[in-house]
Amino acid sequence: MAKADVTVVLAHGAWADGSSWARVITALETEAIKVQAAPLPLTSLADDVAALSRSLDRTEGPVVLAGHAYAGAVIALARRARVKALVYIAALAPDEGEKVADVFYRLAPHPKAPKLAPDDNGLIWLPEDAFATAFAQNASAEDHAVLAAVQRPISLNCITVPAGRPLWKDVPSWYLIAEQDRMIVPETQRFMAERMKATIRTQAVDHTPSVTAPAAVADVIREAVRSVSGN
């Protein structure tokens, strides 16, 4: 069991909120691992980093940050103090000077990937049917309904600004590659993970394994926690 002094802070991606981590949270807390889910506004990359910092301010001791999808860019810009490891769950990892959109659109999309466009407010919503066809195709109909109902749109300001120096250049990182991902091409995930020199774990899971394969996600996070705690 991991030491209780390590806190795991989870960051949700686009079209999701903290509830997307529910099954991972319960899996980790059965082992007495402290967990928080950071609420991100998805209004700009800077706003999301600031929101994550506020969540970090509520913790004490060493921290393991885990990000899903877009939130990979957010956790990489967190303050260095006390962050001892990063965990990427099918997540985007732009390098310094790159935009989130640069890595998201690096390769041709999956045939079932949704066509995305901003509305009049500059916000991108995921079409409701995309939760079943691309976002979490392995989830139940009940999960699809919840994911669609609680989705948060992402602003163009999150994906069109260059990122700063990423924290993965300075702290150990883990990366769960989702082989069945229809939102972020698995080959792009591997490219980013190898560029980061991350510890790579590969699973036959969809884009949102926190919902559809929480045990696999918890295993990777647990590995990072044990590395930090020495257990």
Side-chain angles (χ1 to χ4, degrees):
M1 184 176 293
K3 287 184 180 178
D5 63 343
V6 178
T7 301
V8 175
V9 178
L10 308 168
H12 63 83
W15 311 300
D17 66 7
S19 66
S20 63
W21 293 103
R23 290 165 188 158
V24 175
I25 292 168
T26 54
L28 294 174
E29 290 196 335
T30 60
E31 298 188 28
I33 299 174
K34 294 182 291 187
V35 190
Q36 287 188 19
L40 304 184
L42 304 180
T43 47
S44 74
L45 184 57
D47 288 349
D48 293 333
V49 172
L52 178 60
S53 294
R54 290 191 292 272
S55 288
L56 291 176
D57 287 343
R58 299 178 58 232
T59 69
E60 296 180 354
V63 171
V64 171
L65 282 179
H68 173 237
Y70 157 71
V74 180
I75 64 172
L77 299 177
R79 292 194 302 261
R80 172 69 177 86
R82 297 193 294 112
V83 176
K84 304 302 182 183
L86 302 175
V87 180
Y88 285 72
I89 306 299
L92 294 165
D95 202 345
E96 186 171 9
E98 286 182 338
K99 307 174 184 69
V100 170
D102 293 336
V103 283
F104 184 75
Y105 292 109
R106 178 174 175 268
L107 297 175
H110 187 280
K112 293 191 176 180
K115 290 181 172 56
L116 302 172
D119 64 12
D120 292 342
N121 296 310
L123 300 175
I124 304 170
W125 294 84
L126 198 65
E128 188 166 345
D129 61 356
F131 288 95
T133 59
F135 191 79
Q137 72 267 19
N138 297 338
S140 67
E142 290 81 4
D143 284 334
H144 293 150
V146 172
L147 288 167
V150 303
Q151 76 157 304
R152 292 184 178 182
I154 186 168
S155 169
L156 282 174
N157 295 326
C158 296
I159 65 173
T160 57
V161 295
R165 177 184 169 84
L167 192 53
W168 47 258
K169 293 189 174 184
D170 304 314
V171 302
S173 59
W174 279 255
Y175 198 111
L176 176 61
I177 296 175
E179 292 181 313
Q180 299 173 355
D181 201 317
R182 297 177 181 176
M183 296 293 295
I184 301 173
V185 178
E187 290 84 353
T188 294
Q189 295 181 38
R190 183 166 293 278
F191 162 78
M192 293 183 292
E194 291 178 348
R195 180 171 68 173
M196 295 161 62
K197 298 180 173 56
T199 298
I200 298 173
R201 301 290 178 255
T202 303
Q203 294 283 346
V205 296
D206 62 18
H207 178 65
T208 313
S210 58
V211 173
T212 59
V217 175
D219 283 347
V220 178
I221 295 173
R222 195 180 297 113
E223 188 177 343
V225 170
R226 284 175 175 156
S227 173
V228 169
S229 68
N231 270 12

